[in-house]
C-alpha cells in the first residue's frame, strides 16, 4: 500500500536551516509529481513546493521562494525540502503529498503523509 | 491566482442532520477540477471528492459533491459522529489553491 513518511521536523531558531525528508513506498515513486503542503497551527492548507516526477521542474510558493529548495532522490524513493533562513511564520506541520496521476504536475492529492512539525522560535 | 472562499466558517449541527458546505471561486474553475478533503484533529487531510462530484475510493455515499464554474457544494446527507471535522476545497484547474476550510461541529 502507498505510504509517505515525513521526518526531520523540530524546533529551530529564526534564521537557521532544517531539512525535511519524505520516504515513499508502495508505488512507482519515479513516475509521480510530489508536493510539500504546510499547515500553520489552527490555519488552513498552503502548498509550498512541487517537483516533477523526474526532478526537472520545481515550483515554489512566493512565501518560500529563494529560501526553500525541493529535491528528490528517485533511487532512494525520497523527497526532500531544504529550508533555509527560517522565519517564525514558517511554523507549521509539513505534509508531503502525491498527485493522483503519474507524470501530471498539477492535480488533486490522493495520498498524504502524517506530517512533521516545524517550529521556528527563539 | 484563483481564490477559493468557503462558507460557512463553522456549521453547528446534530448527528443525523444534513450539512451543506459552499466553496466559491474568484474565477471559473476549468473542467470542474475541484476536490474536497476532510481533516480531523491531528490527522492529514483525506480525499473525499474529485472532479467536483466523483467520490474517492471508500468514501460513503452520504457524501456528495456538486457545482460547476465558480460555485461548488459538498453535501453530507446524514451526519455520522465521525463526520465532524474540517473540510477543505481545492482547485487544480489553474495552478493549485485551497479554500480556508469549513468546520462542522457537534451542536
Amino acid at each position: 500500500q502507498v505510504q509517505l513518511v515525513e521526518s526531520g521536523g523540530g524546533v529551530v531558531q529564526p534564521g537557521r536551516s532544517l531539512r525535511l525528508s519524505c520516504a515513499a513506498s508502495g508505488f512507482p515513486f519515479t513516475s509521480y509529481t510530489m508536493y510539500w503542503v504546510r499547515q500553520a497551527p489552527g490555519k488552513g492548507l498552503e502548498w509550498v513546493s512541487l517537483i516533477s516526477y523526474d526532478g526537472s521542474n520545481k515550483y515554489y510558493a512566493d512565501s518560500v521562494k529563494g529560501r526553500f529548495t525541493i529535491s528528490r532522490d528517485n533511487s532512494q524513493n525520497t523527497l526532500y525540502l531544504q529550508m533555509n533562513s527560517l522565519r517564525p511564520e514558517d511554523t507549521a506541520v509539513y505534509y508531503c503529498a502525491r498527485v493522483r496521476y503519474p507524470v501530471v504536475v498539477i492535480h488533486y492529492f490522493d495520498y498524504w503523509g502524517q506530517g512533521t512539525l516545524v517550529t521556528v522560535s527563539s | 491566482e484563483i481564490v477559493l472562499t468557503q462558507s460557512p466558517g463553522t456549521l453547528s449541527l446534530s448527528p443525523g442532520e444534513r450539512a451543506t458546505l459552499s466553496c466559491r471561486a474568484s474565477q471559473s474553475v476549468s473542467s470542474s477540477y475541484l476536490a474536497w478533503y476532510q481533516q480531523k484533529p491531528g490527522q492529514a487531510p483525506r480525499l473525499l471528492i474529485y472532479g467536483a462530484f466523483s467520490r474517492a475510493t471508500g468514501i460513503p455515499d452520504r457524501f456528495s459533491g456538486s457545482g460547476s464554474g465558480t460555485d461548488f457544494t459538498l453535501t453530507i446527507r446524514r451526519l455520522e459522529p465521525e463526520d465532524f471535522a474540517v473540510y477543505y476545497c481545492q482547485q487544480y484547474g489553474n495552478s493549485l489553491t485551497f479554500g480556508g476550510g469549513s468546520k462542522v461541529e457537534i451542536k
Side-chain angles (χ1 to χ4, degrees):
Chain A
Q1 72 281 22
V2 173
Q3 280 199 305
L4 299 170
V5 180
E6 301 96 336
S7 60
V11 180
V12 62
Q13 293 179 326
R16 303 296 291 264
S17 300
L18 208 59
R19 189 176 84 154
L20 305 183
S21 300
C22 170
S25 60
F27 68 101
F29 181 72
T30 57
S31 296
Y32 285 82
T33 295
M34 297 295 296
Y35 279 69
W36 288 100
V37 177
R38 70 183 179 184
Q39 186 171 37
K43 302 297 184 183
L45 301 166
E46 177 192 20
W47 82 269
V48 172
S49 184
L50 74 91
I51 185 168
S52 59
Y53 67 100
D54 60 357
S56 62
N57 293 294
K58 305 176 184 180
Y59 296 95
Y60 301 91
D62 288 343
S63 56
V64 306
K65 202 172 293 182
R67 300 188 298 122
F68 289 12
T69 302
I70 193 170
S71 62
R72 64 192 297 161
D73 183 342
N74 282 349
S75 67
Q76 298 292 320
N77 289 353
T78 303
L79 174 72
Y80 300 102
L81 186 68
Q82 177 67 42
M83 303 185 296
N84 298 333
S85 303
L86 281 161
R87 305 167 179 168
E89 55 264 37
D90 295 318
T91 294
V93 174
Y94 285 74
Y95 297 99
C96 62
R98 187 191 88 163
V99 295
R100 171 60 180 87
Y101 295 102
V103 180
V104 170
V105 175
I106 298 175
H107 225 268
Y108 60 88
F109 304 110
D110 59 347
Y111 287 97
W112 299 66
Q114 85 288 350
T116 187
L117 176 61
V118 173
T119 302
V120 184
S121 173
S122 53
Chain B
E1 174 183 293
I2 296 179
V3 177
L4 299 179
T5 302
Q6 291 189 241
S7 62
T10 301
L11 195 56
S12 298
L13 295 169
S14 301
E17 290 192 293
R18 180 188 190 96
T20 303
L21 307 179
S22 171
C23 176
R24 180 159 291 177
S26 59
Q27 54 187 281
S28 184
V29 176
S30 60
S31 305
S32 295
Y33 280 171
L34 188 108
W36 290 91
Y37 301 87
Q38 176 193 68
Q39 187 179 35
K40 298 179 182 179
Q43 296 185 16
R46 172 195 181 198
L47 176 68
L48 296 176
I49 300 287
Y50 62 91
F53 57 83
S54 298
R55 270 187 304 277
T57 303
I59 301 303
D61 61 7
R62 64 179 182 272
F63 291 91
S64 63
S66 62
S68 63
T70 60
D71 288 294
F72 298 88
T73 301
L74 175 69
T75 301
I76 311 171
R77 194 172 63 241
R78 285 183 305 274
L79 283 164
E80 297 287 341
E82 62 268 27
D83 300 336
F84 292 92
V86 179
Y87 293 84
Y88 293 96
C89 58
Q90 176 223 334
Q91 69 80 23
Y92 48 100
N94 182 333
S95 188
L96 185 157
T97 48
F98 290 98
S102 287
K103 182 179 182 180
V104 178
E105 66 175 21
I106 299 177
K107 187 175 182 179

